Amino acid sequence: MVSNQTVKELLAEQLISWPMARTGYEALREVQSKELDVNGYTFRVQFNPARIRSSAANVDAKAIQERPCFLCKQNLPAQQKALPFGEGYSILVNPFPIFEQHFTIPAVKHEDQLIHGRLTDMLELAALLSDFVLFYNGPKCGASAPDHIHFQAGNKGFLPVEADWRRAAGEPAVRHNGTSVYALKGYPVPMLVLTGDNAAAINGLFDRIYSLMDTGTEAEPMMNLLAWVEDGQWILCVMPRTLHRPACYFKEGDGNLLISPASVDLGGVFITPQAKDYEKITSQDIRETLQEVCLSEAGIQEIIHKLTKSLQVDA
C-alpha cells in the first residue's frame, strides 16, 4: 500500500542498498542556496551540479528515438527498487534529487508524457502521499523523458508557492461543483489554482481548462502542474507555458544561463547546475525568464473568460 511511510521506507532502504542513490543524496547536502526577491516574492536559487543531466537534456525527437528509455523497467539500474502504485505505476527513488525526499513515478507502460486522462492518478497520489507535493512537467516544459509518462514527488515545505499562492489569489474567479478556481495576480508565475475536496469535480474542471488552452503544434497544451492536499482540500496549480527554454539558454558567452524551467522552478526554486550561473543569476534574470516561458496574466484571464462562458452555456 502506498503511503507516506512506505515511500520513506523505500528511500531509507535505497540509501543503504543503492550506491548511486546514496551518492546523490550525500551530494544534496553540499548544494548551495540563495534567496532573491522577485516582484516582492522570495524565490530560491539552488546550485545543484547533479541536475545537469536534466537541465541540459536533449529532448528533440531524434535524440529521444536513439537513446534507451531510462524509465522503462528493463532499463532501470539493477539496484533500483520499485513500489507499485495502482495497476500501472511504479514509485522510484530519484537518484539525482532536488528535494530531501524525491521520487519519480513512471507508468509501467511506455507511453508519451501527456497528462490528458491521468490527472485523477496524480490527485490520488497527492492524497496518499500527503507529506509531498506531486508535480508534472509537460513534454516540452522540463520533462527529460517526454516519451514516458511520469510524475514526480518531493517533500512539502520546500517550494515557496505552497504558501505564497494564497497571498496572490484574491477571490475565486470561478466556482463550480464545489471547486474554486483562482487566477493569481502579481505573482511572478501567472497560473490558475484549483481547490476543492472532490477529485472528480477538480478533474472535470481541469478537463474544461485543458480543452480551452491553445495546443499550437504540440500534442497537448504546454503546462506544468503541482498538486498537494492541505486540510482535506486538493490544491492544483496549473501553469500554462508558451516556450520550452528561454533565450539565455541558447546564448553564448556572458549572456548564457543554463536554466531550463520546469515545475520546481515555477514553484519558486530555480535550479542552476553550473557554478557560473548560480553566482551571476539575478532577480531580473528570473523575472525575464518567467515572462518568456509562461503565459501572461492576460492570457490567464482569457482562459478564465472562456471557462466562465463555457460553464454558462452548459448551465
Side-chain angles (χ1 to χ4, degrees):
M1 177 65 179
V2 172
S3 67
N4 294 317
Q5 181 178 346
T6 56
V7 296
K8 291 174 184 178
E9 288 173 350
L10 175 67
L11 176 58
E13 192 280 332
Q14 289 279 261
L15 293 181
I16 295 170
S17 67
W18 187 20
M20 180 184 286
R22 185 164 61 251
T23 299
Y25 281 83
E26 287 172 351
L28 188 63
R29 298 179 197 151
E30 305 302 320
V31 302
Q32 298 177 51
S33 181
K34 65 182 180 181
E35 295 185 348
L36 294 174
D37 182 284
V38 183
N39 293 0
Y41 290 88
T42 298
F43 271 56
R44 291 202 308 278
V45 180
Q46 185 187 91
F47 171 42
N48 189 335
R51 296 300 297 183
I52 189 72
R53 180 175 180 267
S54 179
S55 296
N58 186 348
V59 293
D60 65 38
K62 185 174 184 293
I64 293 296
Q65 187 175 13
E66 291 178 350
R67 61 102 171 107
C69 176
F70 55 84
L71 292 180
C72 282
K73 182 178 179 180
Q74 66 270 22
N75 299 324
L76 296 177
Q79 292 169 308
Q80 188 169 25
K81 295 186 178 180
L83 178 67
F85 164 65
E87 297 182 359
Y89 295 89
S90 297
I91 299 177
L92 309 171
V93 170
N94 191 318
F96 306 104
I98 296 171
F99 300 76
E100 291 181 359
Q101 301 169 54
H102 191 165
F103 301 90
T104 303
I105 304 124
V108 173
K109 189 175 180 181
H110 183 83
E111 294 182 342
D112 286 345
Q113 177 81 339
L114 299 172
I115 190 62
H116 187 65
R118 293 183 180 269
L119 183 71
T120 52
D121 300 329
M122 187 178 184
L123 295 178
E124 183 180 355
L125 273 168
L128 292 171
L129 303 181
S130 57
D131 289 349
F132 296 83
V133 173
L134 274 292
F135 52 106
Y136 168 83
N137 296 322
K140 289 193 176 178
C141 301
S144 52
D147 56 331
H148 195 128
I149 177 67
H150 64 285
F151 305 112
Q152 294 184 67
N155 53 277
K156 281 182 177 177
F158 181 78
L159 296 177
V161 73
E162 294 174 52
D164 288 347
W165 77 268
R166 293 186 186 278
R167 181 176 147 203
E171 291 297 314
V174 173
R175 288 188 176 95
H176 183 70
N177 286 345
T179 300
S180 296
V181 182
Y182 299 85
L184 302 196
K185 293 181 174 63
Y187 194 65
V189 181
M191 69 176 76
L192 298 164
V193 180
L194 284 65
T195 69
D197 60 7
N198 186 312
I202 293 173
N203 185 69
L205 211 46
F206 172 79
D207 282 349
R208 281 184 182 264
I209 292 169
Y210 182 102
S211 70
L212 297 171
M213 293 169 63
D214 184 16
T215 60
T217 59
E218 306 302 327
E220 76 172 12
M222 294 179 70
M223 73 180 84
N224 298 93
L225 303 176
L226 294 165
W228 67 95
V229 170
E230 185 178 306
D231 297 328
Q233 299 269 316
W234 276 279
I235 299 169
L236 174 66
C237 300
V238 181
M239 298 169 282
R241 297 279 291 266
T242 57
L243 197 64
H244 181 195
R245 285 166 169 159
C248 63
Y249 183 94
F250 304 99
K251 287 183 179 178
E252 297 181 358
D254 292 341
N256 175 261
L257 280 172
L258 190 72
I259 48 177
S260 185
S263 296
V264 170
D265 308 80
L266 302 192
V269 181
F270 261 64
I271 306 302
T272 54
Q274 297 187 137
K276 71 172 183 66
D277 298 332
Y278 176 75
E279 291 165 1
K280 74 178 182 180
I281 193 170
T282 66
S283 299
Q284 182 65 19
D285 292 324
I286 292 177
R287 188 178 301 111
E288 289 178 356
T289 294
L290 294 173
Q291 288 172 349
E292 274 190 83
V293 305
C294 295
L295 187 67
S296 66
E297 277 195 14
I300 294 290
Q301 288 300 324
E302 180 62 22
I303 293 174
I304 288 291
H305 174 73
K306 291 178 180 178
L307 177 62
T308 303
K309 190 173 180 179
S310 75
L311 291 173
Q312 289 172 344
V313 168
D314 291 348

